[in-house]
CSV table of all heavy atoms in Angstrom, one decimal:
chain,number,residue,atom,x,y,z
A,1,THR,N,11.9,145.5,72.9
A,1,THR,CA,11.4,146.4,73.9
A,1,THR,C,10.7,145.6,75.0
A,1,THR,O,10.4,144.4,74.8
A,1,THR,CB,10.4,147.4,73.4
A,1,THR,OG1,9.2,146.7,72.9
A,1,THR,CG2,11.0,148.2,72.2
A,2,HIS,N,10.6,146.2,76.2
A,2,HIS,CA,9.9,145.6,77.3
A,2,HIS,C,8.5,146.2,77.5
A,2,HIS,O,7.9,146.0,78.5
A,2,HIS,CB,10.7,145.8,78.6
A,2,HIS,CG,12.0,145.1,78.5
A,2,HIS,ND1,12.2,143.8,78.5
A,2,HIS,CD2,13.3,145.7,78.4
A,2,HIS,CE1,13.5,143.5,78.5
A,2,HIS,NE2,14.2,144.7,78.3
A,3,THR,N,8.0,146.8,76.5
A,3,THR,CA,6.7,147.5,76.6
A,3,THR,C,6.0,147.4,75.2
A,3,THR,O,6.6,147.2,74.2
A,3,THR,CB,6.8,149.0,77.0
A,3,THR,OG1,5.6,149.5,77.1
A,3,THR,CG2,7.7,149.8,76.0
A,4,SER,N,4.7,147.6,75.2
A,4,SER,CA,4.0,147.6,73.9
A,4,SER,C,3.6,149.0,73.5
A,4,SER,O,3.1,149.2,72.4
A,4,SER,CB,2.7,146.8,74.1
A,4,SER,OG,1.9,147.4,75.0
A,5,THR,N,3.9,150.0,74.3
A,5,THR,CA,3.7,151.4,74.0
A,5,THR,C,4.8,152.3,74.4
A,5,THR,O,5.3,152.2,75.5
A,5,THR,CB,2.4,151.9,74.7
A,5,THR,OG1,1.3,150.9,74.4
A,5,THR,CG2,2.0,153.2,74.2
A,6,PHE,N,5.2,153.2,73.5
A,6,PHE,CA,6.2,154.2,73.9
A,6,PHE,C,5.4,155.4,74.4
A,6,PHE,O,4.5,155.9,73.8
A,6,PHE,CB,7.0,154.7,72.7
A,6,PHE,CG,7.9,153.7,72.1
A,6,PHE,CD1,7.8,153.4,70.7
A,6,PHE,CD2,8.8,153.0,72.8
A,6,PHE,CE1,8.6,152.4,70.2
A,6,PHE,CE2,9.7,152.1,72.3
A,6,PHE,CZ,9.6,151.8,70.9
A,7,ARG,N,5.7,155.8,75.7
A,7,ARG,CA,5.0,157.0,76.3
A,7,ARG,C,6.1,157.9,76.9
A,7,ARG,O,6.9,157.4,77.7
A,7,ARG,CB,4.1,156.6,77.4
A,7,ARG,CG,2.9,155.8,76.9
A,7,ARG,CD,2.1,155.3,78.1
A,7,ARG,NE,1.1,154.4,77.7
A,7,ARG,CZ,-0.2,154.6,77.8
A,7,ARG,NH1,-0.6,155.7,78.4
A,7,ARG,NH2,-1.1,153.7,77.4
A,8,VAL,N,6.2,159.1,76.4
A,8,VAL,CA,7.2,160.0,76.9
A,8,VAL,C,6.6,161.4,77.1
A,8,VAL,O,5.9,161.9,76.3
A,8,VAL,CB,8.4,160.2,75.8
A,8,VAL,CG1,9.4,161.1,76.4
A,8,VAL,CG2,9.0,158.8,75.5
A,9,SER,N,6.8,162.0,78.3
A,9,SER,CA,6.4,163.3,78.6
A,9,SER,C,7.3,164.3,77.9
A,9,SER,O,8.5,164.2,78.0
A,9,SER,CB,6.3,163.5,80.1
A,9,SER,OG,5.9,164.8,80.4
A,10,LEU,N,6.7,165.3,77.2
A,10,LEU,CA,7.5,166.2,76.5
A,10,LEU,C,7.5,167.7,77.0
A,10,LEU,O,8.0,168.6,76.3
A,10,LEU,CB,7.1,166.2,75.0
A,10,LEU,CG,7.2,164.8,74.3
A,10,LEU,CD1,6.7,164.9,72.9
A,10,LEU,CD2,8.7,164.3,74.3
A,11,GLY,N,6.8,167.9,78.1
A,11,GLY,CA,6.7,169.3,78.6
A,11,GLY,C,5.6,170.1,78.1
A,11,GLY,O,4.7,169.5,77.4
A,12,SER,N,5.6,171.4,78.3
A,12,SER,CA,4.5,172.2,77.9
A,12,SER,C,4.7,173.1,76.7
A,12,SER,O,3.8,173.8,76.3
A,12,SER,CB,4.1,173.1,79.1
A,12,SER,OG,5.2,173.9,79.5
A,13,ASN,N,5.9,173.2,76.2
A,13,ASN,CA,6.2,174.0,75.0
A,13,ASN,C,5.9,173.2,73.8
A,13,ASN,O,6.5,172.2,73.5
A,13,ASN,CB,7.7,174.4,75.1
A,13,ASN,CG,8.1,175.3,73.9
A,13,ASN,OD1,7.6,175.2,72.8
A,13,ASN,ND2,9.0,176.3,74.2
A,14,GLN,N,4.9,173.7,73.0
A,14,GLN,CA,4.4,173.0,71.9
A,14,GLN,C,5.5,172.8,70.8
A,14,GLN,O,5.6,171.7,70.2
A,14,GLN,CB,3.2,173.7,71.3
A,14,GLN,CG,2.6,173.0,70.1
A,14,GLN,CD,1.4,173.7,69.5
A,14,GLN,OE1,1.1,174.8,69.8
A,14,GLN,NE2,0.6,173.0,68.7
A,15,LEU,N,6.3,173.8,70.5
A,15,LEU,CA,7.3,173.7,69.5
A,15,LEU,C,8.3,172.7,69.8
A,15,LEU,O,8.7,171.8,69.0
A,15,LEU,CB,7.9,175.1,69.2
A,15,LEU,CG,8.9,175.2,68.1
A,15,LEU,CD1,8.3,174.8,66.8
A,15,LEU,CD2,9.6,176.6,68.1
A,16,GLU,N,8.8,172.7,71.0
A,16,GLU,CA,9.8,171.8,71.4
A,16,GLU,C,9.2,170.3,71.5
A,16,GLU,O,9.9,169.4,71.1
A,16,GLU,CB,10.4,172.1,72.8
A,16,GLU,CG,11.3,173.3,72.8
A,16,GLU,CD,11.8,173.7,74.2
A,16,GLU,OE1,11.6,172.9,75.1
A,16,GLU,OE2,12.4,174.8,74.3
A,17,ALA,N,8.0,170.2,71.9
A,17,ALA,CA,7.4,168.9,72.0
A,17,ALA,C,7.2,168.3,70.6
A,17,ALA,O,7.4,167.1,70.4
A,17,ALA,CB,6.0,169.0,72.7
A,18,THR,N,6.8,169.1,69.7
A,18,THR,CA,6.6,168.7,68.3
A,18,THR,C,7.9,168.2,67.7
A,18,THR,O,8.0,167.2,67.1
A,18,THR,CB,5.9,169.8,67.4
A,18,THR,OG1,4.7,170.2,68.1
A,18,THR,CG2,5.7,169.3,66.0
A,19,GLN,N,9.0,169.0,67.9
A,19,GLN,CA,10.3,168.6,67.4
A,19,GLN,C,10.8,167.3,68.0
A,19,GLN,O,11.3,166.4,67.3
A,19,GLN,CB,11.3,169.7,67.6
A,19,GLN,CG,12.6,169.4,67.0
A,19,GLN,CD,12.6,169.2,65.5
A,19,GLN,OE1,11.9,170.0,64.8
A,19,GLN,NE2,13.2,168.2,65.0
A,20,THR,N,10.6,167.2,69.3
A,20,THR,CA,11.0,165.9,70.0
A,20,THR,C,10.2,164.8,69.5
A,20,THR,O,10.7,163.7,69.3
A,20,THR,CB,10.9,166.1,71.5
A,20,THR,OG1,11.7,167.3,71.9
A,20,THR,CG2,11.4,164.9,72.2
A,21,ALA,N,8.9,164.9,69.3
A,21,ALA,CA,8.0,163.9,68.8
A,21,ALA,C,8.5,163.4,67.4
A,21,ALA,O,8.5,162.2,67.1
A,21,ALA,CB,6.6,164.3,68.8
A,22,LEU,N,8.8,164.4,66.5
A,22,LEU,CA,9.3,164.0,65.2
A,22,LEU,C,10.6,163.3,65.3
A,22,LEU,O,10.9,162.4,64.5
A,22,LEU,CB,9.4,165.3,64.4
A,22,LEU,CG,8.1,166.0,64.0
A,22,LEU,CD1,8.3,167.3,63.3
A,22,LEU,CD2,7.3,165.1,63.1
A,23,ASP,N,11.5,163.7,66.2
A,23,ASP,CA,12.8,162.9,66.4
A,23,ASP,C,12.5,161.5,66.8
A,23,ASP,O,13.2,160.6,66.4
A,23,ASP,CB,13.6,163.7,67.4
A,23,ASP,CG,14.2,165.0,66.9
A,23,ASP,OD1,14.1,165.2,65.7
A,23,ASP,OD2,14.6,165.8,67.8
A,24,PHE,N,11.5,161.3,67.8
A,24,PHE,CA,11.2,160.0,68.2
A,24,PHE,C,10.6,159.2,67.0
A,24,PHE,O,11.0,158.0,66.9
A,24,PHE,CB,10.2,160.0,69.3
A,24,PHE,CG,10.7,160.3,70.7
A,24,PHE,CD1,10.2,161.3,71.5
A,24,PHE,CD2,11.7,159.5,71.2
A,24,PHE,CE1,10.7,161.5,72.7
A,24,PHE,CE2,12.2,159.7,72.5
A,24,PHE,CZ,11.7,160.7,73.3
A,25,ASN,N,9.8,159.8,66.2
A,25,ASN,CA,9.2,159.1,65.1
A,25,ASN,C,10.3,158.6,64.1
A,25,ASN,O,10.3,157.5,63.6
A,25,ASN,CB,8.3,160.0,64.3
A,25,ASN,CG,6.9,159.9,64.8
A,25,ASN,OD1,6.5,159.0,65.5
A,25,ASN,ND2,6.1,160.9,64.5
A,26,SER,N,11.3,159.5,63.9
A,26,SER,CA,12.4,159.2,63.0
A,26,SER,C,13.2,158.0,63.6
A,26,SER,O,13.6,157.1,62.8
A,26,SER,CB,13.3,160.4,62.9
A,26,SER,OG,14.4,160.1,62.1
A,27,SER,N,13.5,158.0,64.9
A,27,SER,CA,14.2,156.9,65.5
A,27,SER,C,13.4,155.6,65.4
A,27,SER,O,14.0,154.5,65.1
A,27,SER,CB,14.5,157.2,67.0
A,27,SER,OG,15.3,158.4,67.1
A,28,VAL,N,12.2,155.6,65.7
A,28,VAL,CA,11.3,154.4,65.6
A,28,VAL,C,11.3,153.9,64.2
A,28,VAL,O,11.4,152.7,63.9
A,28,VAL,CB,9.9,154.6,66.2
A,28,VAL,CG1,9.0,153.4,65.9
A,28,VAL,CG2,10.0,154.9,67.7
């Protein structure tokens, strides 16, 4: 990677943001 931190904006919907965060965790 070219960064030391992953930072991604996920919007304002809590359910969608949580699901996307779990997907990112799985990928990492």
Side-chain angles (χ1 to χ4, degrees):
T1 63
H2 298 288
T3 183
S4 62
T5 308
F6 293 126
R7 293 174 190 245
V8 181
S9 180
L10 301 176
S12 59
N13 185 320
Q14 183 180 13
L15 183 61
E16 290 178 10
T18 303
Q19 183 60 45
T20 305
L22 291 173
D23 291 343
F24 279 126
N25 273 343
S26 177
S27 296
V28 171

